Amino acid sequence: MKKDNRSLHMKTLALYLLILVCGIGLGATLIFYLYTTPLNSKPKQIFSFQDSATNFEIQPFYPTKPQVPHHQKENTTPTITNTTKETVKEEPKQVPSETPKPSVSNAFLHRMKDDELFWKASMVPRIHKTPFKKIPKVAFMFLVRGRLPLSPLWARFFRGYKGFYSIYVHTQPYFVGDVAPEPIFLGRRIPSEVVTWGEISMVEAERRLLASALLDFSNERFVLLSEACIPLYNFSTIYPYLINSKKTFVECYDQEGPVGRGRYDHRMEPVVTLQQWRKGSQWFEVDRHLALEVICDKRYYPLFRDYCKPACYSDEHYIPTLLNIEFPRENSHRTLTYVDWSKGGPHPYKFGKWEVTVGLLKHMQNGTECMYNGEPTRVCFLFARKFVPSALFRLLELAPVIMHF
């Protein structure tokens, strides 16, 4: 009996040993497989699933660009140079059937709110000598409602002078679309707020344009324009006139009566007195120094915001009064933009298709006499307004003959 039990125990022990040896062998095999198999290897995919719901592209909420005429399209092959100094030619891309929508980055010049914009624009380099070659530029600032109907004339004016000007456009914030079809206006809009005629929002828009233009250290002169403005001369005449001027051009005069001194509020005393109160055209031209003073002003602007309300029009009084008090010798006290107030009323005369003649444009160019850098001249107005959209064709026809562009 004992021998049978001993035999049974021996068989059981042998079975356990066999199981142990098999387990050790299996474990060694698994370890060897894991060590010899690459970590990035993937099992073969037997089935392929594709979710059609993921095949979409989110488009920004901007309208499509206008179609470019076929004769203006360029079929070029861009060249890319890599770090090994080998030139690789990229295959030309097929033109899509629809013009793609502009990206968000191309829609606006920047995305800053006013507080951040004015803070950044107020920074002035303490080292005046630039570490790069700087070409002084003129900033053309368009304060408009929406589209620029005279943009073809301006595009012709700017043609061939890239690097000597900058463009900034302030529209109503609810305007959707391109301000102009010409490429030079693409991406030149700045973030805006609602502008109401005669209210302080006009001054706020002007300061917003100045601050945006001040971000470019190459901008030395700043011109405010509307959608109804035109240039009276070619770029090669206007540019040196502005860059070489020793003074700025802000209309500034003392006018008695209800539309002058009658708009003054005595609550502005003692910061602004009645004797210091001035009036002038909204359409100004200033240099970089005065542009900085306007956007950094915390002394006069709050008074105009609080006390100059319709029928006091702050855009006609704020900058003229500021310059009259602080910088009277730096200003020429005249505007560069011609307007016709002969018909009376709160707005100047509008020039339509039939009013645009050779005689009218020549009168705007040479009909007055003024001072420039201490010398008399008949070139007093560089721009003119108000021209309605119907005048565009006539202006394009006369521009080569009268304005020479």
Side-chain angles (χ1 to χ4, degrees):
M1 186 69 178
K2 290 182 178 180
K3 289 182 179 181
D4 292 338
N5 289 337
R6 184 178 299 174
S7 176
L8 180 61
H9 287 312
M10 291 298 294
K11 290 180 180 179
T12 303
L13 180 59
L15 179 62
Y16 287 161
L17 288 174
L18 180 61
I19 293 173
L20 178 61
V21 171
C22 291
I24 293 173
L26 180 61
T29 303
L30 289 174
I31 292 173
F32 176 78
Y33 175 78
L34 291 174
Y35 271 99
T36 57
T37 303
L39 292 176
N40 60 351
S41 63
K42 295 181 180 180
K44 294 183 179 179
Q45 186 173 356
I46 301 177
F47 298 101
S48 176
F49 297 93
Q50 186 174 1
D51 187 3
S52 60
T54 61
N55 287 336
F56 65 92
E57 182 180 357
I58 301 177
Q59 296 287 352
F61 184 67
Y62 293 102
T64 57
K65 288 176 57 180
Q67 293 286 342
V68 181
H70 291 290
H71 68 274
Q72 295 182 1
K73 292 182 180 179
E74 297 182 357
N75 187 15
T76 58
T77 303
T79 301
I80 304 172
T81 305
N82 58 20
T83 56
T84 60
K85 298 182 179 180
E86 294 178 1
T87 302
V88 180
K89 287 190 176 181
E90 189 181 42
E91 292 295 329
K93 297 179 180 179
Q94 295 182 352
V95 180
S97 57
E98 280 189 6
T99 306
K101 296 180 181 180
S103 64
V104 175
S105 61
N106 288 334
F108 289 94
L109 187 64
H110 61 77
R111 289 286 185 175
M112 288 183 284
K113 299 294 184 181
D114 283 356
D115 290 342
E116 182 183 2
L117 171 63
F118 280 67
W119 175 72
K120 286 189 175 181
S122 66
M123 298 180 182
V124 180
R126 298 181 64 182
I127 300 177
H128 298 290
K129 185 178 180 180
T130 58
F132 52 87
K133 183 179 180 181
K134 186 179 79 169
I135 299 176
K137 294 193 294 187
V138 177
F140 292 84
M141 307 178 301
F142 291 88
L143 178 55
V144 302
R145 297 176 180 84
R147 286 185 55 82
L148 279 168
L150 304 178
S151 63
L153 184 71
W154 283 103
R156 185 188 291 184
F157 168 78
F158 288 121
R159 186 183 303 160
Y161 294 96
K162 184 178 181 180
F164 292 90
Y165 66 88
S166 301
I167 296 174
Y168 303 87
V169 183
H170 186 294
T171 69
Q172 294 286 23
Y174 47 79
F175 170 72
V176 178
D178 293 325
V179 295
E182 290 77 17
I184 60 171
F185 293 101
L186 180 63
R188 304 313 299 178
R189 286 178 65 182
I190 65 171
S192 60
E193 299 292 338
V194 174
V195 177
T196 304
W197 181 81
E199 296 187 0
I200 193 65
S201 57
M202 295 279 280
V203 174
E204 292 170 348
E206 295 171 5
R207 300 175 84 218
R208 201 172 290 122
L209 280 164
L210 285 171
S212 298
L214 282 167
L215 296 176
D216 187 342
F217 289 119
S218 297
N219 288 329
E220 294 291 342
R221 310 292 295 204
F222 305 78
V223 183
L224 183 67
L225 302 161
S226 75
E227 65 262 44
C229 285
I230 67 164
L232 288 176
Y233 298 92
N234 55 22
F235 191 92
S236 61
T237 300
I238 291 178
Y239 176 83
Y241 192 102
L242 297 176
I243 294 297
N244 297 327
S245 176
K246 299 176 182 178
K247 293 182 179 290
T248 58
F249 300 93
V250 178
E251 190 174 44
C252 181
Y253 57 90
D254 184 12
Q255 181 177 352
E256 296 183 356
V259 297
R261 289 195 173 194
R263 295 175 177 176
Y264 173 76
D265 193 318
H266 286 276
R267 287 177 292 180
M268 291 186 174
E269 293 179 338
V271 179
V272 178
T273 65
L274 180 61
Q275 290 70 31
Q276 296 170 325
W277 182 259
R278 292 295 182 270
K279 181 181 178 179
S281 171
Q282 174 190 10
W283 312 103
F284 61 78
E285 191 279 339
V286 296
D287 60 13
R288 190 171 187 88
H289 167 62
L290 291 184
L292 278 166
E293 293 294 334
V294 170
I295 70 158
C296 295
D297 171 39
K298 300 294 184 182
R299 179 175 174 84
Y300 303 100
Y301 170 71
L303 292 176
F304 281 84
R305 179 194 60 205
D306 296 338
Y307 302 122
C308 184
K309 299 180 179 180
C312 174
Y313 304 120
S314 53
D315 56 282
E316 294 182 1
H317 297 279
Y318 168 62
I319 295 182
T321 302
L322 169 64
L323 266 60
N324 177 61
I325 298 173
E326 298 291 343
F327 312 101
R329 295 185 178 181
E330 297 184 29
N331 185 32
S332 64
H333 302 276
R334 65 182 178 91
T335 180
L336 293 177
T337 303
Y338 178 95
V339 289
D340 183 1
W341 291 100
S342 62
K343 305 300 187 294
H347 300 285
Y349 183 74
K350 295 180 179 180
F351 300 100
K353 175 181 178 180
W354 304 112
E355 285 85 5
V356 178
T357 62
V358 172
L360 174 69
L361 296 176
K362 286 189 174 181
H363 171 72
M364 292 177 174
Q365 289 178 333
N366 304 302
T368 56
E369 186 174 325
C370 58
M371 300 295 292
Y372 175 79
N373 288 348
E375 299 291 335
T377 179
R378 299 196 73 86
V379 181
C380 301
F381 298 109
L382 303 183
F383 311 97
R385 63 189 301 267
K386 283 185 162 183
F387 289 85
V388 299
S390 64
L392 175 61
F393 178 78
R394 186 65 174 153
L395 289 168
L396 290 173
E397 184 180 28
L398 294 179
V401 180
I402 307 301
M403 289 94 89
H404 303 291
F405 65 85

